[in-house]
Amino acid sequence: MIVWETVIVAFSMFSALPVPQVEWNEKNRRWSLCAFPLVGAVVGLACLGWALFCARLALPAVLRGAGLCLLPVWITGGIHLDGYADTCDALACRGSVEDRQRILKDPHLGAFAAIRLCAWFAADFALWTALPELNAPAALGLFGLSRSLSGLSLTRFRLREGSGLARSFAEAADRTRAGRVLLGMSLGFAALLCASGAWLCVLAAGGVFWYYRRLCEKAFGGLSGDLAGWFLQTAELWMLLALVTGQVLKR
């Protein structure tokens, strides 16, 4: 029962999919971060299904790319893109750490966030359209690894004061044991990608994760939920670029 509630809490928090309502408590939130990658698995399977559907009907690549770009947003409700936008606004500030933290908390969409979101969607759509083939290991690995590493950061990075739901989920978790589980899941998804020949994706994710840790400490004084969303969207974009690059070079 607790396992089922834990999965429901993760999907109700990190997706827009309809799930049964359960009361959030300390028990079912303790391992909810470990169920976060399951949302990625659902996103990956949905994208794989759309890619196969397009291939079956010989639909134009532009339609396939549009669906693959939008499906993750529809399934997640754009929760991670919200954090991405807020972080982009804050990063545009050349002031102090406190100034960037203040901008990060501002719910309004700034000009730099709008520009970066447009650029992100244009790049994501173009890369999905240019991708020669989407197979199951790549789909599951791409969306699973980004969420495993995002969850891992909540158990390993220093949390900034006032970081909202991210802090509440991290503090409710058994950070040591949940971190070990998420590390194991990260390695598992990385191995899946490498086994399918998409080892460039793993390098891309590792590079973004390294930069993400430095960014949290130096630019913001600690991790917040918005930064975790920024990492997830940035990592997936760079992993997709690596996936396209790897497949094109093999031709």
Side-chain angles (χ1 to χ4, degrees):
M1 186 65 176
I2 290 298
V3 174
W4 174 241
E5 288 187 6
T6 297
V7 174
I8 289 176
V9 168
F11 273 83
S12 62
M13 175 61 191
F14 300 113
S15 83
L17 297 174
V19 293
Q21 296 297 309
V22 299
E23 182 182 353
W24 291 14
N25 54 51
E26 185 178 347
K27 287 184 178 180
N28 57 33
R29 283 196 301 158
R30 189 177 187 186
W31 296 99
S32 56
L33 286 177
C34 297
F36 183 25
L38 296 180
V39 179
V42 171
V43 173
L45 289 173
C47 287
L48 179 63
W50 174 250
L52 293 174
F53 175 79
C54 291
R56 180 78 174 178
L57 297 183
L59 296 178
V62 68
L63 285 180
R64 186 192 66 164
L68 292 174
C69 176
L70 294 174
L71 270 173
V73 182
W74 291 337
I75 293 173
T76 63
I79 182 173
H80 309 299
L81 280 170
D82 176 67
Y84 178 85
D86 290 341
T87 302
C88 288
D89 260 342
L91 286 174
C93 173
R94 302 306 179 188
S96 64
V97 171
E98 290 71 24
D99 290 332
R100 284 189 286 271
Q101 290 177 353
R102 176 179 53 80
I103 294 173
L104 202 62
K105 294 178 182 178
D106 190 340
H108 299 94
L109 183 72
F112 289 101
I115 293 168
R116 294 290 187 89
L117 280 174
C118 289
W120 188 94
F121 273 106
D124 194 63
F125 168 66
L127 289 171
W128 280 122
T129 302
L131 183 69
E133 177 190 5
L134 180 65
N135 54 39
L140 294 174
L142 193 152
F143 295 105
L145 181 57
S146 63
R147 284 160 177 76
S148 297
L149 290 174
S150 184
L152 180 64
S153 70
L154 290 172
T155 68
R156 290 291 186 264
F157 294 6
R158 182 167 67 89
L159 296 168
R160 180 174 59 78
E161 291 295 332
S163 47
L165 276 174
R167 189 178 186 90
S168 68
F169 266 79
E171 290 181 342
D174 184 333
R175 296 188 73 187
T176 300
R177 288 194 287 179
R180 290 172 182 168
V181 172
L182 287 163
L183 177 59
M185 296 178 80
S186 299
L187 294 174
F189 284 118
L192 182 66
L193 286 167
C194 288
S196 67
W199 55 270
L200 283 175
C201 292
V202 179
L203 291 181
V208 176
F209 191 75
W210 174 82
Y211 178 76
Y212 165 50
R213 180 156 200 167
R214 287 175 57 85
L215 185 72
C216 290
E217 291 296 328
K218 293 184 178 295
F220 293 96
L223 176 63
S224 71
D226 286 329
L227 290 167
W230 175 90
F231 163 75
L232 189 146
Q233 298 296 160
T234 304
E236 287 183 357
L237 191 62
W238 279 94
M239 289 169 70
L240 179 56
L241 173 61
L243 185 63
V244 173
T245 302
Q247 290 192 11
V248 170
L249 288 177
K250 285 180 180 177
R251 287 187 162 189

